[in-house]
Amino acid sequence: MHNHATCPPPPREADDRTGPDNRMSPDNRMTPGDFDASFTADMPRLRRRLLALTGNPHDADDLLQETYLRLSRRARSQSLARQQHPYAYTCAVALNLLRDSWQHPSRRERTTNQLPEAGWDGGLASYEASATALALLGMLSEKEAAAVILVDLEGLTHDTAGDRLGAHRGTVQRNRLRGLAKMRAALHH
């Protein structure tokens, strides 16, 4: 494993953090504000480390967020101890989360070719999107609308769309670009 794959080990601390009944004393607990300040200071360095480990900025950001959520819950519940080396502790938590995702692949996101279920709005968003698309297509000439529909909605190549329309691929491409420009302009107004 590469040298950058591990965080510096947190130093061993004496058990003077706990009182006689083995509870953490209030002065050794991190407040949510203290935790946010500490995490914000360590975040760029931790993100670079996670990016080096995952090789994917999205995975690194997801892991960074999960680390923050895990530790901030503890800070809010006043069960997070102050650390002599907060970066090492935070890094160890992040690495444990990463290791856990490797050991339990069922917890990772999976790509699928199935669309998610309709939202709670009963399909209103889908209807609004369809109505907007139809209104925008109605603003285009027949040739522009046909090119946009065949290439962007049906996923055909310019050549295949040109064959269906009896036009050259360059004509289809020009009509499509003109149509998309008109649609963008209408959306921005």
Side-chain angles (χ1 to χ4, degrees), residues 9 32 46 70 74 80 95 97 117 144 155 166 169 176 185-186:
L46 182 60
R70 175 80 49 101
R74 291 188 55 210
L80 184 62
L95 289 177
L97 288 169
E117 294 179 20
E144 293 167 343
R169 76 178 305 278
R176 176 180 165 264

Side-chain angles (χ1 to χ4, degrees), residues 55 72 91 105 120 128 162 168 181 184 186:
S72 69
C91 190
W120 62 270
E128 287 178 343
H168 187 270
R184 273 191 216 100

Side-chain angles (χ1 to χ4, degrees), residues 68-167:
Y68 174 80
L69 291 174
R70 175 80 49 101
L71 291 173
S72 69
R73 268 185 241 123
R74 291 188 55 210
R76 284 193 313 273
S77 70
Q78 301 270 323
S79 64
L80 184 62
R82 292 189 187 280
Q83 303 296 320
Q84 284 183 332
H85 301 281
Y87 172 74
Y89 182 78
T90 304
C91 190
V93 170
L95 289 177
N96 286 338
L97 288 169
L98 179 60
R99 235 179 263 117
D100 189 49
S101 74
W102 289 339
Q103 291 173 349
H104 303 283
S106 63
R107 295 181 186 168
R108 280 189 244 148
E109 288 183 14
R110 289 184 298 269
T111 58
T112 178
N113 60 354
Q114 304 214 345
L115 294 174
E117 294 179 20
W120 62 270
D121 66 354
L124 181 62
S126 176
Y127 172 77
E128 287 178 343
S130 296
T132 302
L134 288 173
L136 290 170
L137 287 169
M139 297 173 21
L140 307 180
S141 71
E142 276 187 42
K143 292 178 181 179
E144 293 167 343
V148 169
I149 290 169
L150 291 175
V151 175
D152 293 298
L153 298 179
E154 291 188 17
L156 300 179
T157 65
H158 290 110
D159 291 324
T160 307
D163 291 344
R164 283 205 187 164
L165 296 172

Side-chain angles (χ1 to χ4, degrees), residues 4-20:
H4 66 276
T6 60
C7 293
R12 302 247 180 222
E13 295 180 21
D15 285 329
D16 60 351
R17 305 178 301 176
T18 58

Side-chain angles (χ1 to χ4, degrees), residues 8-57:
R12 302 247 180 222
E13 295 180 21
D15 285 329
D16 60 351
R17 305 178 301 176
T18 58
D21 60 353
N22 214 17
R23 286 193 197 149
M24 197 180 328
S25 63
D27 58 330
N28 283 330
R29 293 185 204 150
M30 239 180 171
T31 67
D34 293 340
F35 168 73
D36 284 342
S38 174
F39 192 88
T40 302
D42 292 334
M43 190 169 54
R45 183 176 170 198
L46 182 60
R47 185 182 185 280
R48 285 191 304 272
R49 171 72 49 98
L50 295 174
L51 183 57
L53 289 170
T54 63
N56 180 328

